Each structure stands twice: as structure tokens, then as C-alpha cells.
Amino acid sequence: MTTTGEEHATALTGPWWWTRWRSALFDGSLALVSAVECGAEGQSFARDAGLPLVVGVVFGLLAGSVLLVRRRWPIAVVLVAIAVTPAQMGFLMGIVGLYTLAACELPRRIIGALAGMSLVGSMVVTFVQVQRDMARGDFSLGNWFVPFAAVTTSLGLTAPPLLLGLYVGARRRLMESLRERADSLERELQLLAERAEERAEWARGEERTRIAREMHDVVAHRVSLMVVHAAALQAVARKDPEKAVRNAALVGDMGRQALTELREMLGVLRSGGEERQRQDRERAAASAAPPLVAVGAAAAAAASRAVGEPGGAEGPCLAELEELVGQSAAAGMVVDLSVQGEAREYGAEIEQTAYRVVQEALTNVHKHAAGAKTYVRLAHRASEIAMQVENEPPPEQASAPPVRLPSGGNGLLGMKERVHALGGVFVSGPTDAGGFRVSAVIPATS
């Protein structure tokens, strides 16, 4: 993890303008060495200028101690170093001052101007000093040596600290830029993680809804028929034993089919969960969220699988629509099935959706309009398939109490979601005659 800008800005642990005590001690040590140097050189300056020795020493100590504020006022340090250059003192102060000036975030024109002033000052002073020494006869060389010594000495005192300071300043700015970029990336990653968590939560909710819809479509129809047959069995048990036997056999068949479908659905959910847990262990990522995405996909495939046949087709299709209507007719419903157009094969998802719409509509008739005559119409068109389930008003049954079937209120919503997912149109509502109509149109190219 990187240090953010706010944490970096508030991490000042040193006194005054220093960020750390180590930096303050280092600058204090440099200032002390510079003050001792300038104080020692101030003695010769005092003798040459005809001043008292104490004045030269005090002047040198004060000038050298300016190095203490090099981080806060680097321009002042360089200006003092340039000012004391004619007195031949402050060499350490000049070198450190130029380095600090070049490393600071100051305009290049200011750095260049002060560096040029320091270069010219040290060049003039060196030229005069070397020429004076040669005139005294301390050493004898050619006239070329005076400008050579002045140029090399001034460059040696100016160029290295200036270049080093420019390099350190550029590197420091680069590191700050990289730190800010890392902080920005960290914030972006955190924001992306939050958005990913929101999307995952949304996906979990979607998969929960999808699993609930599939479970409802798989089990609710057969269980509703079982309840209807059980009520009929109770009514005719004493009057017509043969019919009671047939109804009991139908109830048993419906129950076995419902249990088979339920077991298969639960098996898919369990296997999907185990597969996801295996993948999580391979990635070494401990996740508390249930693997609903994989489960939902597997549950959708299992929910659309017909279980009545031992071979097990891949899913219910329109060819099984007559069998579905026959089951409702066996439960006492008067159903009229009509098919228009030439039957042809559609995509598996289209046929499954059409089958589920008719199945759920018939289930709703059993629940809310028992005994009502129902019309199931299927139309094969050029580019779409249309289905409609309409029931008449239920007859008044004074002799027998109506069969009460629980309703979760999600049947119509599930049908609408299925049809809309394929780009189709779904309409449901009461008719003028007092019945109820469910209509859906699904594109054949979905």
C-alpha cells in the first residue's frame, strides 16, 4: 500500500520547517561545519582588510551559519555565498547552497541566473587571486594558467553541485509523480472494487429471482394438478370407486414426477455449489457469497428439462403441448387446443418459454377459475410464434366447495420476464366476459 498525499503531508515530525529530526540534525551539522570554516577563513580576511580579528571571526561565523536555513530559503543562502566570495570564504556554503537551489522546485531562470552569478563571482575571485600569487612569485607559469585556473576552479565549484541538484530534484519530482499516480490508481481500484461488489450483489439478486422462477415453473404446475386430483378423489371416493382409483393413480404419477424434478433441481444446485467451491479453492479466494451465477445457469438448464421420460430430453418443447393440455383435461378442466400455421422447429429457449407460458396459464386457471372452460391457441407465423390462453368465467358450484390452491403471486411476473428476455411482448388481464386472458408473442429468431 502506498502513502497517500494527505498522510504524507501530515507526517511532519521535525521542528519548524523540517519534516524529520534527522534532516534538522543534518542541516545543523552542515551549518556548524560551514560556520567553523568561515570563521577560520575570516581571520585571514580580517588581516587583509585591516579589521580586528574578532570582527572577521564573528562575520565568518554568522555567514557560515546561514546554511541552517537552506531548505527554507535556498536563494538567500546562495546570495550570501556569492556575497562572501570576494572574502575567499564560504566554499562549503556555496556548494551546498547551489545543490539545494537546483534541487528545489524553482523556475529554471532563477536557478540559471544565480548559478551564473556564482560562476562569474568565483571565476573573478580565482582570477585575481592566482594573478596575485603569480605576481608575488609564489609560482611561475605561463600567462595561460591564470584564465585556465579561473575557469576550471569556477566550473569545479559550480557545475557538480548544480548538476547533482538538478538530477536529485528531477528524481524527487518523478517519485512524487509516481506516488500520486499510485494513490490515484489505488483510489480507482477501490472504486472499481466497490462497483464490482455492487454488480455482484445485483447479479446475486438476479440469480435468486431466476432460480425462484425456475423452481416455480418446474414444481407448481404438477403440484397444482395433484391438489385438483386429490379434491376430485375425495369427492368421488364413495360414489365412483373406479374413477377414484384412476384419480389416485394420476396423483401418484404427478407426485413422482414432481419429486423427480425437484430432486434434479436440488442436485443441480448442489453440484453447482460444489463446482464453484472447487474453483474458489483453486484461486485461494475465500468468498462468503453463494455461487449463484453458476447455480442459476445450471438451474435454468435443469428447470427446462422434462423429466417424465426416462431418456430425458433437453427441455420441454411445443411437441409436448398436447400432453400438457391432456393432463389438465384429466384433472377436470375443459380445454380446447387449436394450432394455426405450419409447425416448425424453433430455438430451444423459444420453445421452452412458449411451453412455460401455457403451463403457467393453465396452472392459474386451476387455481383461480376451477371448472372454467379454457381455450389454448398457438399460432406459427412467419417471423414469430404467438400463444394465448383464455378462460371463461368459472361456473358457480353450490354443491361442492372450490379447491383452494395457494398462490405466490409470481406466476404472471415470471411469464413476463421470460418473454421480455427474448424480446417478445406479454399481455395479461381480465376479459369483458369475466374471464382472464394471457397472450404472448415471441420472435422466432431470438
Side-chain angles (χ1 to χ4, degrees), residues 235-403:
V236 301
R238 295 181 180 179
K239 299 179 181 179
D240 192 349
E242 293 183 0
K243 187 174 182 180
V245 171
R246 290 195 301 270
N247 286 341
L250 287 174
V251 171
D253 292 339
M254 295 291 178
R256 282 188 290 272
Q257 291 175 359
L259 284 175
T260 303
E261 291 180 351
L262 184 59
R263 286 196 189 103
E264 184 172 354
M265 174 68 71
L266 295 177
V268 170
L269 292 176
R270 184 183 299 276
S271 64
E274 292 175 354
E275 178 66 19
R276 180 60 181 269
Q277 290 174 4
R278 184 185 65 80
Q279 294 177 357
D280 289 343
R281 285 195 298 270
E282 291 177 356
R283 297 189 185 99
S287 175
L292 290 173
V293 176
V295 173
S304 61
R305 190 177 300 123
V307 195
E309 300 177 1
E314 293 185 355
C317 58
L318 294 176
E320 303 174 11
L321 201 59
E322 292 184 3
E323 180 182 356
L324 178 66
V325 172
Q327 292 175 356
S328 295
M333 180 187 295
V334 180
V335 189
D336 180 24
L337 174 63
S338 63
V339 180
Q340 299 177 0
E342 183 179 356
R344 62 181 187 275
E345 292 185 358
Y346 301 93
E349 192 172 5
I350 296 176
E351 294 207 7
Q352 293 168 16
T353 301
Y355 181 91
R356 294 299 187 195
V357 169
V358 176
Q359 182 187 54
E360 181 59 28
L362 292 176
T363 302
N364 288 340
V365 175
H366 283 293
K367 289 181 180 180
H368 307 292
K373 186 174 182 180
T374 306
Y375 302 92
V376 179
R377 301 182 181 92
L378 184 68
H380 300 277
R381 300 172 183 171
S383 60
E384 61 188 15
I385 177 173
M387 65 225 66
Q388 179 177 294
V389 179
E390 180 180 351
N391 63 275
E392 297 178 352
E396 297 182 1
Q397 299 177 356
S399 59
V403 179

Side-chain angles (χ1 to χ4, degrees), residues 118-142:
S118 178
L119 176 67
V120 173
S122 59
M123 184 183 301
V124 171
V125 171
T126 304
F127 184 89
V128 172
Q129 183 64 31
V130 172
Q131 193 174 28
R132 183 186 303 171
D133 292 341
M134 290 184 65
R136 284 202 305 261
D138 294 343
F139 54 89
S140 177
L141 291 172

Side-chain angles (χ1 to χ4, degrees), residues 43 51 65 69 118 137 201 207-208 219 234 258 307 335 369 385 429:
Q43 298 178 10
L51 298 174
S65 61
V69 297
S118 178
E201 185 64 28
E207 290 304 321
R208 289 190 185 98
V219 181
Q234 184 180 4
V307 195
V335 189
I385 177 173

Side-chain angles (χ1 to χ4, degrees), residues 8 11-31 67-72 96 100 172:
H8 182 70
L12 299 176
T13 59
W16 297 335
W17 56 83
W18 286 284
T19 57
R20 292 172 296 180
W21 276 100
R22 186 175 63 181
S23 301
L25 293 176
F26 180 72
D27 288 353
S29 301
L30 286 178
L67 198 58
L68 188 67
V69 297
R70 71 181 185 95
R71 297 179 189 265
R72 188 67 180 272
V96 177
T100 307
R172 184 182 301 162

Side-chain angles (χ1 to χ4, degrees), residues 68-242:
L68 188 67
V69 297
R70 71 181 185 95
R71 297 179 189 265
R72 188 67 180 272
W73 296 293
I75 296 178
V77 174
V78 175
L79 290 176
V80 171
I82 295 173
V84 299
T85 299
Q88 297 184 9
M89 65 173 64
F91 295 102
L92 178 62
M93 180 171 55
I95 293 174
V96 177
L98 283 175
Y99 164 79
T100 307
L101 179 70
C104 290
E105 296 182 0
L106 292 174
R108 293 298 177 85
R109 61 179 182 275
I110 297 178
I111 297 175
L114 293 176
M117 292 171 59
S118 178
L119 176 67
V120 173
S122 59
M123 184 183 301
V124 171
V125 171
T126 304
F127 184 89
V128 172
Q129 183 64 31
V130 172
Q131 193 174 28
R132 183 186 303 171
D133 292 341
M134 290 184 65
R136 284 202 305 261
D138 294 343
F139 54 89
S140 177
L141 291 172
N143 293 330
W144 60 270
F145 182 73
V146 177
F148 174 77
V151 171
T152 54
T153 302
S154 60
L155 288 177
L157 294 175
T158 305
L162 184 66
L163 295 177
L164 180 61
L166 291 174
Y167 167 74
V168 172
R171 184 176 181 275
R172 184 182 301 162
R173 287 187 290 272
L174 176 62
M175 295 301 294
E176 289 293 334
S177 174
L178 293 177
R179 184 182 294 111
E180 292 177 359
R181 185 176 300 178
D183 295 339
S184 177
L185 289 176
E186 184 177 351
R187 288 190 293 269
E188 290 180 3
L189 287 176
Q190 184 178 2
L191 190 61
L192 289 176
E194 293 176 356
R195 292 180 178 175
E197 182 63 27
E198 293 177 358
R199 288 194 295 269
E201 185 64 28
W202 175 83
R204 284 192 287 268
E206 289 292 322
E207 290 304 321
R208 289 190 185 98
T209 304
R210 184 178 180 182
I211 292 174
R213 184 171 63 243
E214 300 295 344
M215 294 283 287
H216 177 273
D217 291 341
V218 166
V219 181
H221 178 72
R222 299 193 186 279
V223 173
S224 299
L225 291 180
M226 288 172 59
V227 175
V228 173
H229 282 294
L233 176 63
Q234 184 180 4
V236 301
R238 295 181 180 179
K239 299 179 181 179
D240 192 349
E242 293 183 0

